[in-house]
Amino acid sequence: MRVFIHPDRTSAGAAAAEEIITAFTTRPDGVLGVATGSSPEPLYAALRAAHTAGTFSLAQARAFALDEYVGIPADHEQSYRNVLRRELVGAERTGLTEENLHTPDGLADDPNAAADAHDRAIRDAGGVDLQILGIGSNGHIGFNEPLGSFSSRSHVGELAESTRHDNARFFGNDIDAVPTHCITQGLGTIREARRLVMVADGENKAEAIRQMVEGPVAALCPASILQLHPDVMVFVDEAAASRLEHRDLLAAVAR
Ligand code: F6R
């Protein structure tokens, strides 16, 4: 795991974006795994800027979301499909097309079948070439909350109370408005991505980052499973890095 510490979230996001720009310039029809939430916002802004500058395009790429809320109306501005549309879809953004944006169907009559279908679609696409990740303050990736299986496939999950609390800011600070369930790629699914690029910022991520990077591989911190992946880059700001105790060793690994 290579960790890159930046002064702020904008430069961390821009550096992470360079990885995606290089990867999709080399392979324009690759498969990108996309996260939502506030962490990737600077990264997506940098991708849009590169698209505007004519140096990057997702026009030929396919994108698969990490997760989606269950039961949230299709026109809700916080449905992850709508968030990803606003961030990435269209010639005025990154060139990603609507039909090449794949999100789990959180409104399916059978959400378990929708989760299976998402997993199958990722496999049928040949797997994810590069997966963008954020991290929850409790160490979740996707919505794989602590103590779940390290080898889970995409599934219906229940959001931890702390996650609903963290995400209430997207729902008018009303925790009761935050969905209770989601469809998420499983940890086993996420681990199959060929490359993983994580972005994290802010003091409230510092403990999760420490556990992920320097702690044991443990179900209490689902992101710690990434220690077992051969190609993980983590772009953090100073605040999210503030509890790391081995910066010298991390710098050597990152070189
Ligand atoms: C979102 C996702 C989550 C978020 C995490 C951090 O698709 O999978 O794991 O990355 O909850 O959220 P933010 O970035 O809003 O702090």
Side-chain angles (χ1 to χ4, degrees):
M1 186 180 293
R2 289 182 288 160
V3 179
F4 302 91
I5 302 171
H6 288 258
D8 54 56
R9 72 193 294 256
T10 307
S11 60
E18 281 308 317
E19 296 301 319
I20 288 118
I21 292 166
T22 304
F24 283 80
T25 302
T26 309
R27 190 175 168 206
D29 62 347
V31 177
L32 180 65
V34 285
T36 47
S38 46
S39 306
E41 287 168 0
L43 186 169
Y44 292 148
L47 294 184
R48 289 193 298 274
H51 186 255
T52 303
T55 54
F56 170 72
S57 174
L58 288 178
Q60 297 176 55
R62 287 154 294 168
F64 287 85
L66 269 178
D67 38 27
E68 178 60 284
Y69 291 119
V70 166
I72 197 168
D75 61 354
H76 194 292
E77 66 163 21
Q78 290 303 326
S79 94
Y80 281 173
R81 183 164 191 92
N82 289 337
V83 170
L84 290 164
R85 275 188 183 126
R86 289 196 297 274
E87 295 281 12
L88 299 172
V89 170
E92 72 284 18
R93 297 193 178 89
T94 66
L96 182 69
T97 63
E98 178 81 30
E99 61 270 23
N100 279 335
L101 171 63
H102 301 274
T103 53
D105 182 0
L107 287 172
D109 291 339
D110 183 348
N112 291 302
D116 289 347
H118 193 59
D119 217 84
R120 216 167 29 248
I122 292 170
R123 278 193 179 153
D124 290 349
V128 170
D129 292 309
L130 190 156
Q131 175 68 55
I132 298 166
L133 292 173
I135 184 170
S137 61
N138 65 359
H140 72 215
I141 50 174
F143 277 135
N144 292 277
E145 303 288 20
L147 302 180
S149 160
F150 275 160
S151 34
S152 61
R153 308 304 309 176
S154 299
H155 61 279
V156 177
E158 187 173 337
L159 300 187
E161 194 63 17
S162 64
T163 299
R164 294 183 68 231
H165 179 269
D166 286 347
N167 286 10
R169 71 191 193 282
F170 297 115
F171 293 85
N173 289 317
D174 176 10
I175 191 166
D176 294 329
V178 183
T180 55
H181 288 77
C182 63
I183 296 173
T184 180
Q185 285 189 34
L187 292 175
T189 316
I190 293 170
R191 285 176 66 184
E192 286 172 3
R194 291 174 193 93
R195 294 182 66 196
L196 296 151
V197 170
M198 177 181 281
V199 277
D201 63 272
E203 176 67 37
N204 71 327
K205 300 294 173 69
E207 183 57 23
I209 290 292
R210 186 178 77 83
Q211 293 291 343
M212 174 183 80
V213 176
E214 297 180 345
V217 175
L220 266 179
C221 179
S224 64
I225 190 75
L226 301 182
Q227 291 178 27
L228 302 179
H229 192 286
D231 194 348
V232 182
M233 299 175 89
V234 181
F235 295 88
V236 286
D237 71 351
E238 283 287 350
S242 59
R243 295 205 189 159
L244 293 172
E245 291 172 7
H246 300 283
R247 283 184 177 227
D248 50 341
L249 295 173
L250 289 170
V253 171
R255 276 195 283 274

